[in-house]
C-alpha cells in the first residue's frame, strides 16, 4: 500500500453530476452552483464543490479526509420535489467504464483505502425531461428551488457541527 499524504481538503464535500445539455439532468450541477452562490464566506471555507457529467470511480480519492459528503443528482424516480436520504457503501452492478452509483463509490473508497467512508447523504431532485437540447422543465425549476433550500440548511447544519467539534 502506498502512503497517503493529506491534502488540503475541506471537511464537507458537495458532489453533483448531470448534463447541462439534457434538460432536467442539469439539476445536480445547477443546485451545486446555487449553493456556491448563496453560502456565506465562513461556510465556503468549510466546503469543497465538485461537479461532472457523471459520477465516476475517479472521485474516490476526493472523499479522503471528509467528514460528510452531499451527493446531488437529478432523478426520474424520486418523489417531487426531491428526496434526501443517508447512503451506505454498497456493491452493486452500476459500475461501468464511465459511471458508478453513489453507494458504489463509497464502497470503492472503503475497498481502496481500507477505511470507513465519510457519512454521506443523497439529494435526488425530481426531474421530468432529460432529452438532449431540452430546457429545464417548469416542474424541475420548482423542484430545484426546494432542493436548494434544503441543501442550504443541510450545509449550514454541517458547518455548525464542524465548528462545535473543533
Amino acid at each position: 500500500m502506498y502512503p497517503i499524504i493529506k491534502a488540503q481538503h475541506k471537511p464537507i464535500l458537495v458532489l453533483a453530476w448531470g448534463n447541462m445539455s439534457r434538460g432536467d439532468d442539469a439539476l445536480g450541477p445547477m443546485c451545486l452552483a446555487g449553493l456556491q452562490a448563496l453560502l456565506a464566506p465562513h461556510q465556503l471555507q468549510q466546503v469543497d464543490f465538485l461537479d461532472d457529467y457523471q459520477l465516476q470511480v475517479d472521485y474516490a480519492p476526493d472523499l479522503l479526509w471528509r467528514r460528510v459528503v452531499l451527493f446531488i443528482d437529478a432523478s426520474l424516480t424520486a418523489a417531487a420535489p426531491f428526496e434526501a436520504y443517508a447512503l451506505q457503501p454498497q456493491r452493486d452492478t452500476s459500475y461501468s467504464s464511465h459511471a458508478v452509483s453513489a453507494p458504489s463509490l463509497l464502497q470503492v473508497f472503503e475497498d481502496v483505502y481500507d477505511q470507513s467512508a465519510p457519512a454521506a447523504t443523497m439529494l435526488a431532485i425530481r426531474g421530468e425531461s432529460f432529452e438532449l437540447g431540452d430546457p429545464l422543465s417548469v416542474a424541475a425549476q420548482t423542484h430545484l428551488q426546494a432542493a436548494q433550500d434544503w441543501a442550504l440548511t443541510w450545509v449550514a447544519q454541517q458547518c455548525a457541527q464542524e465548528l462545535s467539534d473543533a
Side-chain angles (χ1 to χ4, degrees):
M1 178 155 227
Y2 296 99
I4 299 171
I5 300 169
K6 186 172 183 179
Q8 294 298 318
H9 287 101
K10 297 175 183 177
I12 302 165
L13 174 64
V14 176
L15 178 53
W17 61 97
N19 187 331
M20 298 295 285
S21 299
R22 289 194 167 271
D24 296 353
D25 197 37
L27 285 165
M30 291 179 77
C31 187
L32 180 144
L35 282 174
Q36 282 182 295
L38 295 170
L39 288 175
H42 72 279
Q43 293 170 323
L44 290 170
Q45 293 176 358
Q46 299 178 62
V47 184
D48 277 330
F49 298 90
L50 295 172
D51 70 280
D52 204 342
Y53 287 103
Q54 296 177 335
L55 184 62
Q56 300 182 27
V57 69
D58 305 55
Y59 285 108
D62 293 300
L63 304 182
L64 283 165
W65 298 287
R66 307 299 183 166
R67 187 175 59 78
V68 293
V69 179
L70 178 61
F71 292 97
I72 307 174
D73 190 23
S75 171
L76 272 171
T77 59
F82 65 87
E83 292 179 6
Y85 50 90
L87 292 173
Q88 298 298 321
Q90 179 182 344
R91 281 187 216 295
D92 61 31
T93 58
S94 70
Y95 173 74
S96 73
S97 62
H98 298 290
V100 296
S101 68
S104 182
L105 180 64
L106 296 171
Q107 186 64 56
V108 167
F109 174 87
E110 289 191 350
D111 292 345
V112 170
Y113 295 104
D114 195 29
Q115 61 181 285
S116 295
T121 298
M122 181 74 214
L123 176 57
I125 308 169
R126 176 62 185 216
E128 297 178 350
S129 175
F130 293 79
E131 295 302 315
L132 185 62
D134 279 356
L136 197 64
S137 70
V138 173
Q141 292 173 36
T142 302
H143 301 166
L144 175 61
Q145 185 60 56
Q148 191 169 285
D149 291 345
W150 180 90
L152 282 166
T153 300
W154 184 91
V155 169
Q157 291 171 343
Q158 298 304 320
C159 288
Q161 179 67 41
E162 191 61 33
L163 289 175
S164 72
D165 289 348

